[in-house]
C-alpha cells in the first residue's frame, strides 16, 4: 500500500501525496477554481486533473524533478534553468485571463500591506529595523506601472519540474494564484534565493528584464512572507531562505 506523505499543511490548505496522486484540500474554493481554469488555459505543461470533489482535488504527479527548493543549492544544469525561463516567457505571452492573480494586486493595496508588514516586523522584534528599512527602500522599485501578463503568481522553483536528460520542462504545478499580473513578479519568485541562476533564466526568457525590479520583488516578497511563515510553522531564518534574501540586499 502506498504511504500517505504530507507535502505541505497549514490552517488554510494541505497537500497530500499517495503514490502518484496528489490530493489538495483547500478551504477556499475560489483558489481551486482559479487553479482549474489556469491549467486549462496555459500553453505550458501542467498536471492532469484526475477528479474534483470540493474541498478536494486530485492531481496526477508530473514526470521529472524540480529544479530545487528554497534554502537548498540547486543541482539543475544551466540549460534546465534556461528551459524554465523559456516556459515562463511562453506563459507570459499567452492570452490574458479575466481573473486578476496574486501578481496583479493594485499598487496602493500592495504599498499599504508592505508598510504595515514592515512596521509589524520591527514592532514585534522579528527583524532589525535597519534590515527592514533598507529592504523597504529596495522594494519601492517594484511599485511601478506594469503591463499585464498571464502570471502563475506563486512560481517557486519547487513548482517547476524538468526532465533530467533533456532539461525540458515537464510540468508546472500549483496554479491557485494565477491570473493577470506583473511578469517580473514571476521571474523574481522563481529565482528567490537562487540569484546565481538569474542570468540563465533571463537567457531562456529571451527578453530584457529590469534587474532593479527583480531585486525589489525579492525584498518585497520576503518582507511580506517572514511573519506569515513564522506563524505557520515555517523557518524564514533557515540558511538561504527569506531572511538571508533580505540580508543580501544590505
Amino acid at each position: 500500500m502506498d504511504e500517505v506523505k504530507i507535502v505541505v499543511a497549514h490552517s488554510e490548505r494541505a497537500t497530500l501525496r499517495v503514490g502518484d496522486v496528489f490530493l489538495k484540500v483547500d478551504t477556499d474554493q475560489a483558489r481551486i477554481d482559479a487553479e482549474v481554469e489556469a491549467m486549462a488555459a496555459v500553453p505550458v505543461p501542467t498536471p492532469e486533473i484526475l477528479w474534483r470533489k470540493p474541498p478536494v482535488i486530485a492531481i496526477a504527479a508530473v514526470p521529472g524533478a524540480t529544479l530545487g527548493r528554497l534554502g537548498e543549492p540547486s543541482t539543475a544544469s544551466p540549460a534546465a534553468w534556461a528551459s524554465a525561463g523559456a516556459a515562463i516567457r511562453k506563459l507570459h505571452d499567452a492570452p490574458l485571463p479575466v481573473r486578476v492573480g496574486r501578481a496583479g494586486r493594485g499598487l496602493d493595496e500592495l504599498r499599504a500591506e508592505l508598510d504595515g508588514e514592515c512596521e509589524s516586523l520591527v514592532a514585534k522584534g522579528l527583524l532589525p529595523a535597519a534590515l527592514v528599512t533598507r529592504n523597504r527602500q529596495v522594494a519601492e522599485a517594484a511599485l511601478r506601472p506594469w503591463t499585464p501578463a498571464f502570471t502563475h503568481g506563486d512560481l517557486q522553483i519547487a513548482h517547476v519540474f524538468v526532465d533530467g536528460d533533456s532539461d525540458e520542462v515537464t510540468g508546472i504545478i500549483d496554479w491557485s494564484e494565477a491570473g493577470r499580473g506583473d511578469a517580473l513578479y514571476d521571474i523574481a519568485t522563481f529565482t528567490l534565493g537562487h540569484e546565481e541562476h538569474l542570468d540563465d533564466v533571463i537567457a531562456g526568457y529571451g527578453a530584457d528584464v529590469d534587474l532593479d525590479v527583480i531585486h525589489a520583488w525579492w525584498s518585497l516578497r520576503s518582507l511580506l512572507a517572514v511573519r506569515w511563515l513564522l506563524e505557520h510553522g515555517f523557518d524564514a531564518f533557515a540558511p538561504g531562505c527569506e531572511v538571508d534574501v533580505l540580508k543580501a540586499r544590505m
Side-chain angles (χ1 to χ4, degrees):
M1 179 179 295
D2 291 317
E3 293 184 350
V4 176
K5 178 181 179 182
I6 299 175
V7 179
V8 63
H10 50 77
S11 60
E12 295 178 1
R13 67 186 88 169
T15 301
L16 310 176
R17 180 168 187 169
V18 185
D20 289 332
V21 177
F22 287 88
L23 301 175
K24 301 184 71 171
V25 185
D26 199 318
T27 59
D28 185 349
Q29 284 307 294
R31 281 195 293 253
I32 296 295
D33 291 342
E35 182 156 14
V36 172
E37 290 174 14
M39 288 196 290
V42 294
V44 295
T46 62
E48 176 188 0
I49 297 175
L50 301 175
W51 52 264
R52 180 184 182 190
K53 186 175 181 180
V56 182
I57 184 172
I59 297 175
V62 298
T66 64
L67 280 85
R69 302 189 71 85
L70 182 63
E72 300 175 5
S74 172
T75 59
S77 69
W81 283 89
S83 178
I88 296 169
R89 176 64 182 276
K90 193 173 183 180
L91 168 64
H92 290 166
D93 286 344
L96 289 175
V98 174
R99 190 186 298 268
V100 175
R102 179 71 174 172
R105 285 169 293 169
L107 298 183
D108 290 342
E109 173 192 350
L110 193 55
R111 183 176 280 108
E113 181 183 359
L114 177 61
D115 288 341
E117 198 62 35
C118 288
E119 181 179 346
S120 179
L121 288 169
V122 175
K124 293 178 181 294
L126 297 176
L127 292 176
L131 183 64
V132 172
T133 299
R134 170 57 183 158
N135 277 276
R136 176 61 184 86
Q137 293 170 345
V138 174
E140 185 65 28
L143 303 176
R144 87 285 178 222
W146 39 266
T147 301
F150 198 138
T151 55
H152 182 282
D154 190 22
L155 199 63
Q156 305 172 44
I157 59 170
H159 293 163
V160 180
F161 289 72
V162 296
D163 180 85
D165 295 324
S166 67
D167 289 325
E168 292 299 317
V169 172
T170 56
I172 300 177
I173 65 172
D174 285 3
W175 292 87
S176 60
E177 307 288 355
R180 290 173 180 251
D182 180 2
L184 297 191
Y185 180 93
D186 272 354
I187 297 175
T189 301
F190 185 63
T191 55
L192 184 77
H194 291 274
E195 185 171 353
E196 69 277 13
H197 297 292
L198 178 59
D199 287 345
D200 296 323
V201 174
I202 293 174
Y205 192 73
D208 292 335
V209 170
D210 189 329
L211 296 182
D212 288 339
V213 175
I214 297 294
H215 297 162
W217 275 123
W218 286 342
S219 291
L220 198 157
R221 182 179 169 93
S222 297
L223 286 169
L224 292 182
V226 168
R227 183 173 60 86
W228 186 95
L229 290 168
L230 295 175
E231 291 177 352
H232 287 79
F234 301 101
D235 188 3
F237 287 86
C241 292
E242 283 78 6
V243 175
D244 276 357
V245 170
L246 296 173
K247 290 178 179 179
R249 304 272 70 83
M250 297 296 286

